[in-house]
Amino acid sequence: MRITKVNVSSKAIKLKSPLIISLGKIEYAMSAVVKIETDEGIVGVGEGAPGILITGETLDGTVQCIKEIGKVILGCNPLDFEKIYFLMNSVAAHAPSAKTAIDIAIHDIIGKVSNQSIAQLFGGYRESIETDMTLSIDDADIMAKKAKQHIEAGFNTLKVKVGVDEKLDVERIKKIRESVGSATKIRLDANQAWYPKQAIQMIERLGEYDIELVEQPVKSHNLEGLKFVRDHSRIPIMADESCFTAKDALRLVRMEAVDFVNIKLMKCGGLYEAAKISSICEIAGIECMIGCMAEETNIGVTAAAHLASGLKNITRCDLDATFGLTEVVLPGGVPLEETKDIKVSHEIGLGIGG
């Protein structure tokens, strides 16, 4: 079997409401949809969803990079994934969302050839996963109202964005906790907003409201600062932007800098690299969360859900991006309707049509 064609198209989909984080505002899902065709008639589907605030990529740049990668993998056997990954890296030094698009499509083909879902390819550990719901930075009363609505809709865990204003953050978390009661898990995500000592102070103040974990409290490059926060925090610390690749995960493990790692396909370059991150963390006794970019559609989120279903060490999920979409490019996969329980399809491959 050989790759005969790599097609890519792009679409920007306006979100139902903007997501505001400490780094800025996100208003659109950005999807570069890939279809890889083979000489045996098997077609694989993938998506690159660049998040400029996190990876620095744009939709146009991602499309162009996919086209360049497409040129060098023509004629390759899609089952020779180690070779394909080497070729992708020879074309672009970084460009994780472009590589993710190819990676998902290749895994879709592998699943179809082997008559397995992607979840089964990675181990098939669980039938379904439970996602949290993310709260965008807003007025405290509005956030508290939305939090209560999510809990009443069946969600058990909230991921709350913080990091714009210290005083308002305390007010927001206080009101959210009051609105949802003591049974709800609350995760905080600062998106690199704080300096290390500031982070420790804020974590201590916000810890009054029973916080499960704090995600990326300091700048992504400041691993020493991240370790400093972890060493002085009574609440577990999770890395997100500090961990793009398996090499980053190894560095964090060696430094004992975090308690958890958030894996995102669009950040690491796809399922292949994501599985490596999980393995490194598992060996070190560090559990992982699978996350997604707000810019992703059902294609990327579904691939992430398959990985989380396959791997035991992915114990937490933040896969709510599809709930903010007004439409999708291709049908199938994780639904647009809000639900805490996500069950991946038993169809072979990714399970997304088109």
Side-chain angles (χ1 to χ4, degrees):
M1 180 167 56
R2 300 292 169 183
I3 294 172
T4 57
K5 188 177 293 186
V6 178
N7 295 314
V8 58
S9 59
S10 64
K11 187 168 185 177
I13 300 172
K14 190 171 180 64
L15 302 180
K16 292 177 183 176
S17 58
L19 176 67
I20 300 173
I21 64 177
S22 63
L23 294 171
K25 181 189 293 188
I26 301 166
E27 298 182 88
Y28 290 87
M30 299 288 184
S31 181
V33 179
V34 167
K35 293 183 180 180
I36 295 180
E37 299 180 13
T38 68
D39 59 359
E40 295 186 9
I42 297 173
V43 179
V45 174
E47 172 183 59
I52 194 168
L53 297 178
I54 304 298
T55 69
E57 299 167 287
T58 65
L59 185 55
D60 288 344
T62 297
V63 169
Q64 185 57 42
C65 188
I66 290 169
K67 289 179 179 179
E68 295 301 315
I69 292 172
K71 295 175 184 177
V72 301
I73 66 172
L74 282 179
C76 289
N77 186 332
L79 304 184
D80 296 337
F81 194 70
E82 184 83 12
K83 178 180 179 180
I84 289 173
Y85 214 87
F86 173 80
L87 290 171
M88 288 199 292
N89 288 334
S90 72
V91 170
H94 302 294
S97 64
K99 293 175 183 178
T100 298
I102 300 293
D103 169 284
I104 295 172
I106 291 293
H107 279 91
D108 190 21
I109 292 172
I110 295 172
K112 289 171 179 175
V113 170
S114 62
N115 201 36
Q116 299 180 85
S117 68
I118 290 177
Q120 290 172 317
L121 290 178
F122 284 98
Y125 180 73
R126 51 179 72 87
E127 288 292 316
S128 65
I129 57 177
E130 180 179 330
T131 184
D132 61 19
M133 273 295 289
T134 301
L135 286 175
S136 173
I137 294 174
D138 208 328
D139 176 81
D141 289 327
I142 292 174
M143 292 179 74
K145 180 180 179 181
K146 289 181 178 179
K148 186 175 182 179
Q149 290 172 344
H150 293 319
I151 301 307
E152 289 176 345
F155 290 89
N156 298 318
T157 307
L158 299 172
K159 178 175 172 178
V160 185
K161 296 292 186 178
V162 294
V164 172
D165 183 289
E166 292 183 21
K167 183 178 179 181
L168 290 178
D169 278 342
V170 174
E171 181 185 1
R172 289 164 179 140
I173 301 306
K174 178 177 183 294
K175 290 191 174 183
I176 289 170
R177 174 55 74 193
E178 290 172 349
S179 73
V180 300
S182 60
T184 301
K185 291 181 181 179
I186 295 178
R187 302 166 180 165
L188 304 183
D189 186 3
N191 288 114
Q192 312 178 56
W194 299 322
Y195 295 106
K197 290 183 178 179
Q198 179 190 18
I200 293 168
Q201 293 170 351
M202 286 301 297
I203 290 169
E204 187 65 27
R205 292 171 69 186
L206 296 171
E208 294 180 31
Y209 305 105
D210 188 17
I211 304 303
E212 181 197 16
L213 59 85
V214 178
E215 185 175 340
Q216 200 60 50
V218 300
K219 297 297 183 185
S220 59
H221 64 272
N222 192 357
L223 303 189
E224 293 79 9
L226 190 62
K227 176 175 171 53
F228 180 80
V229 173
R230 191 235 178 172
D231 288 346
H232 292 83
S233 171
R234 60 189 174 94
I235 296 173
I237 301 300
M238 175 181 284
D240 180 1
E241 293 95 324
S242 289
C243 186
F244 272 60
T245 66
K247 290 180 180 178
D248 295 333
L250 185 59
R251 192 174 299 116
L252 290 168
V253 164
R254 284 173 171 168
M255 292 180 64
E256 299 183 348
V258 294
D259 299 288
F260 301 103
V261 168
N262 187 357
I263 301 171
K264 293 178 180 174
L265 302 185
M266 301 301 161
K267 192 177 58 171
C268 72
L271 295 157
Y272 180 77
E273 187 76 4
K276 289 183 180 179
I277 294 172
S278 179
S279 294
I280 289 169
C281 290
E282 185 173 19
I283 291 166
I286 295 175
E287 296 175 2
C288 293
M289 179 163 81
I290 190 76
C292 59
M293 301 291 194
E295 292 86 353
E296 290 182 50
T297 76
N298 59 319
I299 302 173
V301 176
T302 298
H306 273 278
L307 186 70
S309 296
L311 297 179
K312 180 177 182 291
N313 196 51
I314 297 178
T315 59
R316 291 164 176 78
C317 294
D318 175 35
L319 296 180
D320 56 354
T322 60
F323 306 153
L325 298 175
T326 54
E327 60 177 311
V328 293
V329 180
L330 296 174
V334 175
L336 302 192
E337 298 77 22
E338 294 185 8
T339 174
K340 74 175 177 65
D341 296 311
I342 296 175
K343 188 176 179 64
V344 297
S345 170
H346 284 295
E347 295 180 47
I348 60 174
L350 187 62
I352 288 183

